[in-house]
Amino acid sequence: MAKFLFVTDLDNTLVGDDKALLELNDRLEQSRQEYGTKIVYATGRSPILYQELKDEKNLLEPDALILCVGTEIYLDGSHTPDSEWSEKLSSGWNRDIVVSTTTAFPELVSQPDSEQRPFKVSFFLQEEDSQKVLPQLKSELQKSGLDVKLIYSSGIDLDIVPHGSDKGQAVQFLRQKWKFVAEVTVVCGDSGNDIALFSVGSERGIIVGNARPELLQWHNEHPADYHYLATNFCAGGILEGLKHFGFLE
Ligand code: GLC
Ligand code: MG
């Protein structure tokens, strides 16, 4: 056994099976203490909603947090987003133009204020409207000269973020900072905003057994032997995958 960089989504990936989560936490904490494994959470949640989940579930203290779908990185328990990362996201981004462009689309329903962040504008969008709205919205945003990315997850959540940011690119930033190669980095997820974790490089990937159709479809269209589709759900699927890749016994 050796150290690795462990990156996981929270909702319906790390969290969702309390019993398996306890076992996984034990194993990860042991690997962190013995070998220096690093633990990173990569979630769409804002700091407020992350704190709520952390209080509710027994989450280990992570070595870094990727919040707001990759637009904010918090290192070593800091409460201030990493400024090097924020600076990278600023070019080609204009929050006011994004917001004003979206007002032309009545199908977009604003998410709560806590989820509106400097580099993330978020809506609820019904699945049946998404096929029509997403391409139109994308082209309107392009016309405004913005370099942004639309991330649609779980048939409801739409995040508009700078082009250079998503969970996967945030992981690359941490990998380089901490000097972990892709072969000893493992990423875990269940839904649309996790596709970036799997698509950005050749990190080892665990797709939990309860993954959403959008991630399963992406996985089917982009098969790779360094991606593992687990049978078990949530933390149970992560344990299964970590053993498959030899990160745990
Ligand atoms: C979390 C965030 C929400 C976001 C979703 C998908 O639920 O709170 O703002 O849209 O993740 O990324
Ligand atoms: Mg999830």
Side-chain angles (χ1 to χ4, degrees):
M1 298 292 107
K3 73 170 177 182
F4 59 100
L5 173 56
F6 174 76
V7 180
T8 185
D9 168 52
L10 295 176
D11 294 279
N12 303 311
T13 301
L14 184 69
V15 174
D17 175 345
D18 290 345
K19 194 164 162 272
L21 175 59
L22 277 180
E23 187 188 339
L24 177 60
N25 277 350
D26 273 357
R27 305 292 302 269
L28 288 171
E29 188 56 60
Q30 203 182 343
S31 177
R32 173 154 69 179
Q33 281 172 20
E34 269 181 43
Y35 307 110
T37 287
K38 296 254 190 204
I39 300 169
V40 175
Y41 300 146
T43 172
R45 290 180 179 240
S46 62
I48 291 179
L49 290 192
Y50 165 67
Q51 195 56 48
E52 272 181 21
L53 187 69
K54 188 164 182 269
D55 293 344
E56 192 187 325
K57 301 285 169 186
N58 265 323
L59 301 186
L60 295 174
E61 199 57 57
D63 297 286
L65 264 175
I66 296 172
L67 297 185
C68 314
V69 272
T71 62
E72 295 176 27
I73 298 178
Y74 296 81
L75 293 163
D76 302 314
S78 163
H79 292 288
T80 320
D82 185 82
S83 58
E84 199 187 323
W85 183 243
S86 312
E87 274 159 33
K88 274 188 208 275
L89 305 189
S90 305
S91 80
W93 174 251
N94 184 319
R95 199 174 195 289
D96 294 341
I97 300 180
V98 171
V99 172
S100 66
T101 308
T102 57
T103 55
F105 295 86
E107 297 87 350
L108 299 177
V109 176
S110 219
Q111 286 192 12
D113 286 349
S114 71
E115 303 314 283
Q116 310 301 340
R117 305 291 298 173
F119 296 106
K120 170 175 173 286
V121 181
S122 292
F123 298 92
F124 298 119
L125 171 63
Q126 297 302 324
E127 190 144 42
E128 57 269 29
D129 296 325
S130 64
Q131 295 218 342
K132 182 185 91 172
V133 169
L134 290 176
Q136 288 178 4
L137 175 61
K138 196 171 177 190
S139 104
E140 286 308 311
L141 288 164
Q142 272 167 355
K143 277 187 213 157
S144 313
L146 296 180
D147 198 10
V148 301
K149 178 181 282 186
L150 306 184
I151 303 177
Y152 189 55
S153 307
S154 311
I156 187 71
D157 292 319
L158 173 65
D159 303 310
I160 309 176
V161 300
H163 190 259
S165 86
D166 53 39
K167 290 183 178 186
Q169 294 181 77
V171 170
Q172 303 306 304
F173 178 82
L174 289 177
R175 273 212 308 106
Q176 277 151 28
K177 192 175 251 333
W178 288 337
K179 306 202 167 26
F180 281 89
V181 296
E183 289 72 17
V184 294
T185 302
V186 60
V187 299
C188 315
D190 76 298
S191 85
N193 71 10
D194 302 315
I195 292 173
L197 287 174
F198 298 99
S199 62
V200 74
S202 53
E203 283 76 15
R204 303 309 176 237
I206 300 170
I207 298 168
V208 288
N210 53 298
R212 299 260 330 165
E214 71 262 17
L215 176 57
L216 292 175
Q217 188 188 336
W218 179 87
H219 176 60
N220 284 334
E221 289 165 2
H222 303 84
D225 58 7
Y226 48 85
H227 291 156
Y228 178 73
L229 178 57
T231 306
N232 291 298
F233 285 17
C234 304
I238 298 177
L239 276 164
E240 181 191 328
L242 290 175
K243 290 172 191 165
H244 166 83
F245 287 121
F247 292 117
L248 292 180
E249 302 185 305

